[in-house]
Amino acid sequence: MILYEYPCNERVRTLLRVEHLFGRLFFFAEEEEVYHHQIAVATLFDLLEICDRTDLRGSVLQDLERQRASLTALRRHPGVDETTLDKMVADLERTASDLAAQGRVGQVLRDNEWLASLRGRLSVPGGSSPADIPSYYAWQIKPMEVRMKDLQQWIEPFLPLYNGLSLILRLLRESGDPIELEATQGAYQEMLTGKTFQLLRVWVDPALGVFPEMSANKYVIWVRFSMQDNELKPLSVTRDISFRLSRCNF
């Protein structure tokens, strides 16, 4: 099954975007080719850009504290596994403590004059060529082990943020229970009567060759399935589609 996710607010959308960037960063930083490391460096700067434009650290810390308080309150409920609960609360506290102690995310990279100069040049199309930045080319022809060590040092300041948002998204995803549904003639509608969700997750069989386009507000959830024509243009599906839906909310 292929999983598609739809954020129901901008806060969750930002978390998903940053998670996507971290996934790309970790993948290319662990590869050995210099072109992979070029992408890893560019992705690091993408993360810095997001952290500069939004108080991502503060938002994640607020979410961690909110979840810690909610879980702590569950101790008063009968039937709660206190061992599992205590472990999760401890994870939240440790993750929040590491992130709070860090200060501004990625400040070490901002203070590095060479990286700061490189960040500005990479924003120019083709600006990473050896003719434009000889020092960047000199770094790229260093042994693979040296480049990988540098990348790990540059990534390390972002790890507390990554651990925090990963924990928040894990709790959010686990809050929903997947159910089997059918989109009649390719469309599914569900009235919510004022209840809101933060994340929708849809699983669909890849053999069907379709993908969902989703929207949600406090009144309704829409899931509309489409397929792509020869020019990749989306076309609405008019046959019944079986899928799985999870509505997630803290």
Side-chain angles (χ1 to χ4, degrees), residues 26-37:
F26 295 150
F27 176 85
F28 287 108
E30 292 173 0
E31 296 296 312
E32 299 181 358
E33 294 295 329
V34 65
Y35 289 120
H36 293 144
H37 292 173

Side-chain angles (χ1 to χ4, degrees), residues 19-47 136 139-140 144-152 154-155:
E19 181 189 49
H20 167 73
L21 288 175
F22 272 118
R24 189 170 71 186
L25 173 63
F26 295 150
F27 176 85
F28 287 108
E30 292 173 0
E31 296 296 312
E32 299 181 358
E33 294 295 329
V34 65
Y35 289 120
H36 293 144
H37 292 173
Q38 289 178 357
I39 298 174
V41 170
T43 305
L44 268 173
F45 293 149
D46 286 343
L47 285 168
Y136 187 37
W139 178 79
Q140 293 176 63
M144 174 267 296
E145 294 82 5
V146 174
R147 285 185 276 111
M148 293 186 74
K149 182 179 179 180
D150 287 340
L151 283 170
Q152 291 306 315
W154 299 336
I155 290 171

Side-chain angles (χ1 to χ4, degrees), residues 57-70 91-97 99 160-161 163-165 167-168 171:
R57 172 179 171 273
S59 177
V60 171
L61 281 172
Q62 288 178 1
D63 282 336
L64 290 170
E65 173 56 28
R66 190 179 300 115
Q67 292 310 304
R68 186 200 63 79
S70 297
D91 287 344
L92 287 163
E93 291 176 344
R94 182 179 62 256
T95 303
S97 177
L99 182 56
L161 175 64
N163 293 333
L165 73 88
L167 185 53
I168 290 299
L171 290 172

